[in-house]
Amino acid sequence: MDEFVLIFRHEDGTKVASPEQIQIWMKQTMDWIGGIAAQNKFVSGTGLPFADAKIVGHGGVVTNGPFGEIKETIGGLITVKAESVEEAVEFAKGCPVLQGDGNTVEVRKVAKNDGVH
């Protein structure tokens, strides 16, 4: 069984939901993750807030950001165990992030650290 990262991309970081809508989405997300965990396939996950975010560039140049005003933002990610990329995609299809117009969930296989370099 492999691990896959599901990356939550928001098309428009300037759209701010109401506190009530955020609460609804959080419950939906926790229920969705709970369904994956019930199958013993949830590994880990986290949201990625903008507060205290920094970007480190070439030459060690540090700038504040990223900011929600940019066109596309990454809102969070989870790691799941799956038999195939197709199974991981099925998990992704249930993600509440997809309720937002233009939002996507990127599915990427995690490279195995088997000691071979």
Side-chain angles (χ1 to χ4, degrees), residues 7-14 50 66-76 104:
I7 303 166
F8 313 143
R9 294 185 179 275
H10 301 269
E11 183 182 62
D12 187 351
T14 63
F50 293 113
F67 299 105
E69 296 82 30
I70 61 176
K71 179 66 177 152
E72 181 183 273
T73 62
I74 297 175
T104 60

Side-chain angles (χ1 to χ4, degrees), residues 45-110:
T46 189
L48 299 171
F50 293 113
D52 296 324
K54 301 288 183 190
I55 297 174
V56 180
H58 180 74
V61 176
V62 179
T63 57
N64 290 329
F67 299 105
E69 296 82 30
I70 61 176
K71 179 66 177 152
E72 181 183 273
T73 62
I74 297 175
L77 55 90
I78 67 168
T79 303
V80 298
K81 293 184 281 189
E83 296 292 338
S84 64
V85 68
E86 291 80 14
E87 182 181 18
V89 164
E90 287 304 311
F91 289 143
K93 285 180 180 180
C95 182
V97 163
L98 297 175
Q99 294 175 36
D101 188 38
N103 292 352
T104 60
V105 178
E106 181 178 339
V107 179
R108 302 277 298 268
K109 185 175 178 179
V110 175

